Amino acid sequence: MILKRTVIYPKDIQRITGKSVRTGRRILERIREQKGKEKHQLITVSEFSDYTGIDAETVQEYLTD
C-alpha cells in the first residue's frame, strides 16, 4: 500500500504555482479563514484543490515526501 501525504505546506504551493513561499503561506492563511480553521490547524490537499481549482491528483504529483 502506497501512502500519500494529505497535508499541504507553503513549499508545496511554491512548487505548484511558481510563487514564493511567503505567497504560499498567504494562500494557506486565506484557506484557513474561508474554512473557519484556527491558525494551528493544517490544510489538506482536497481543501487546497477546492480553493484553487487545481485537480487534487495534479497536486499530489507535486508533493514530495
Side-chain angles (χ1 to χ4, degrees):
M1 176 170 82
I2 298 175
L3 298 176
K4 294 184 179 180
R5 187 157 42 108
T6 58
V7 176
I8 193 159
Y9 297 102
K11 187 72 175 175
D12 300 321
I13 296 173
Q14 180 187 30
R15 270 189 232 110
I16 294 166
T17 64
K19 304 285 184 180
S20 70
V21 173
R22 178 66 188 127
T23 299
R25 284 190 213 116
R26 276 190 232 123
I27 290 171
L28 292 178
E29 186 178 319
R30 288 184 198 133
I31 295 171
R32 276 191 197 92
E33 288 173 4
Q34 183 183 42
K35 299 289 183 182
K37 289 189 167 197
E38 295 180 18
K39 191 173 184 176
H40 69 277
Q41 292 178 308
L42 301 172
I43 302 300
T44 65
V45 170
S46 63
E47 290 170 334
F48 176 76
S49 292
D50 290 342
Y51 181 80
T52 61
I54 301 172
D55 184 47
E57 293 174 10
T58 304
V59 173
Q60 282 287 348
E61 291 174 12
Y62 283 90
L63 300 184
T64 59
D65 293 328

